[in-house]
Amino acid sequence: MGVMRIGHVNLKVMDMDAALRHYERVLGLKETHRDADGNVYLKCWDEWDKYSLILTPSDSAGIRHVAYKVERDADLDELKARIEAYGTPAEMLPEGSMPAIGRLLKFNLPSGHEMRLYAHKEFVGTDVGSLNPDPWPDDVRGSAAHWLDHVLLMCEFDPERGVNRVEDNTRFMKTCLDFYLSEQLMVGPGHKLPVATWLFRSSTPHDIAFVGGPRNGLHHIAFFLDDWSDVLKSADVMAKNKVKIDVAPTRHGITRGTTIYFFDPSGNRNETFAGLGYLAQPDRPVTTWTEDEIGRAIFYHSGELNEAFTTVYT
Ligand code: M3P
Ligand code: FE
């Protein structure tokens, strides 16, 4: 029961043609729907529901909402009651509010980011099908991302004013949505302040993460690849397509993933990463990283965190 996994992200893009070239040619997503308002819906080859990314034409970049899929329709009623009992308003949007999707529970995280939950989305199948399937399809482009894996949201963090939306969001996700904490990065005297947290409902190290910063926003959306050689190939695809690479292939200490960060043409940060990390289980001890090891926590090889990585985001 409850949340299973990330379902989709709705991003704002400033040039739809350029955005489509990026998500189709570089990441390998395919368009599955387009609505009258100019929103374009896409999916990765290994996903079975109709879409995992919605691109909305806009005059700015950033995230509009992130949605997670729950197992049963009745979960939406139970979670609505829990969210409201927590003191957070929640609204049930009727079926038909979004294409190919059932009713949606809409609310804002303590940070203000909009989140939606749903139980049904039109099933279209993966590109290899589910009857005696091949391990990968022939007609997939670029990095050939398997699936949208997680989002990392930037949350207002100003301990001098007593503001820590990372902590607030983490408590909300654990209390209302039964997420589990896998890793945390602690700062301040005695390492008492969580400045970043990684949480899961699936069996991977994170389905969502929160990092503290000067303002709320989107740090990145991440797409899953199989292994390190796919990460290298993904970097080659980016170089071929003149994509602005933010961080060249390396490894995270946190989650153990191998990774690249880059930007879509509107400046929304993307990540392609490989490695399921470890088997995340509710009783697994939480991994704690301390401020003095922040460099290795984020970029394990260089051990250095560049300033722009946590200050430039949409
Ligand atoms: C990841 C990950 C930051 C750390 C990011 C880590 C933004 O993206 O997938 O584990 O500090
Ligand atoms: Fe990530």
Side-chain angles (χ1 to χ4, degrees):
M1 109 92 211
V3 173
M4 293 194 294
R5 62 170 182 277
I6 194 166
H8 64 252
V9 175
N10 186 182
L11 288 188
K12 293 184 285 182
V13 296
M14 294 182 285
D15 177 340
M16 185 58 80
D17 290 340
L20 281 174
R21 271 198 304 280
H22 175 82
Y23 287 101
E24 290 178 337
R25 289 172 70 120
V26 179
L27 275 309
L29 278 76
K30 290 179 184 163
E31 182 177 331
T32 54
H33 184 68
R34 211 173 258 246
D35 68 24
D37 299 324
N39 297 300
V40 181
Y41 300 71
L42 304 108
K43 76 181 270 297
C44 300
W45 73 263
D46 213 5
E47 293 169 331
W48 49 91
D49 284 346
K50 184 146 183 176
Y51 55 85
S52 59
L53 180 65
I54 308 164
L55 301 176
T56 297
S58 175
D59 52 14
S60 62
I63 187 168
R64 291 180 83 207
H65 75 261
V66 57
Y68 284 77
K69 190 175 190 186
V70 302
E71 193 173 353
R72 299 185 190 93
D73 194 65
D75 294 343
L76 298 175
D77 300 309
E78 188 184 327
L79 293 172
K80 181 170 190 282
R82 285 167 64 173
I83 291 166
E84 285 172 343
Y86 194 80
T88 301
E91 183 189 357
M92 197 71 83
L93 307 177
E95 182 169 358
S97 304
M98 291 184 67
I101 206 166
R103 62 187 185 134
L104 290 136
L105 183 61
K106 174 182 158 189
F107 52 92
N108 295 103
L109 296 178
S111 57
H113 293 93
E114 184 181 321
M115 183 173 278
R116 297 183 180 193
L117 304 177
Y118 65 91
H120 296 295
K121 192 183 272 176
E122 186 183 330
F123 172 88
V124 293
T126 73
D127 282 18
V128 292
S130 39
L131 182 65
N132 308 319
D134 292 314
W136 43 269
D138 287 327
D139 61 344
V140 62
R141 303 173 79 173
S143 304
H146 283 252
W147 57 74
L148 173 71
D149 188 88
H150 63 266
V151 289
L152 194 150
L153 302 176
M154 292 299 294
C155 302
E156 198 187 353
F157 179 82
D158 186 354
E160 277 171 27
R161 281 174 41 237
V163 174
N164 186 351
R165 301 293 176 224
V166 172
E167 191 166 31
D168 299 342
N169 279 5
T170 303
R171 188 177 303 118
F172 177 90
M173 297 299 284
K174 287 166 74 173
T175 309
C176 297
L177 304 182
D178 293 327
F179 273 65
Y180 300 100
L181 186 64
S182 55
E183 310 210 16
Q184 58 185 354
L185 177 57
M186 309 299 280
V187 297
H191 308 304
K192 291 218 165 54
L193 278 178
V195 71
T197 58
W198 285 256
L199 297 113
F200 66 95
R201 275 292 302 169
S202 67
S203 55
T204 66
H206 62 323
D207 299 307
I208 196 163
F210 305 115
V211 171
R215 59 179 173 84
N216 294 325
L218 172 70
H219 188 272
H220 66 267
I221 63 170
F223 296 91
F224 182 79
L225 305 175
D226 273 330
D227 60 31
W228 176 238
S229 65
D230 295 318
V231 172
L232 180 68
K233 184 176 167 199
S234 182
D236 292 344
V237 169
M238 288 171 209
K240 275 188 173 184
N241 286 280
K242 311 278 188 293
V243 170
K244 185 169 160 36
I245 294 182
D246 180 32
V247 178
T250 183
R251 182 198 282 278
H252 290 302
I254 292 164
T255 77
R256 303 180 187 154
T258 52
T259 179
I260 319 172
Y261 292 97
F262 51 102
F263 294 101
D264 80 4
S266 300
N268 294 305
R269 192 185 272 98
N270 294 169
E271 175 184 26
T272 44
F273 82 104
L276 291 170
Y278 46 77
L279 186 64
Q281 294 280 280
D283 65 337
R284 184 181 181 277
V286 174
T287 300
T288 297
W289 297 84
T290 53
E291 194 167 9
D292 49 311
E293 290 284 359
I294 194 167
R296 284 197 320 136
I298 309 292
F299 299 124
Y300 188 66
H301 299 154
S302 70
E304 277 171 32
L305 186 58
N306 66 321
E307 167 88 9
F309 189 65
T310 48
T311 54
V312 176
Y313 54 92
T314 56

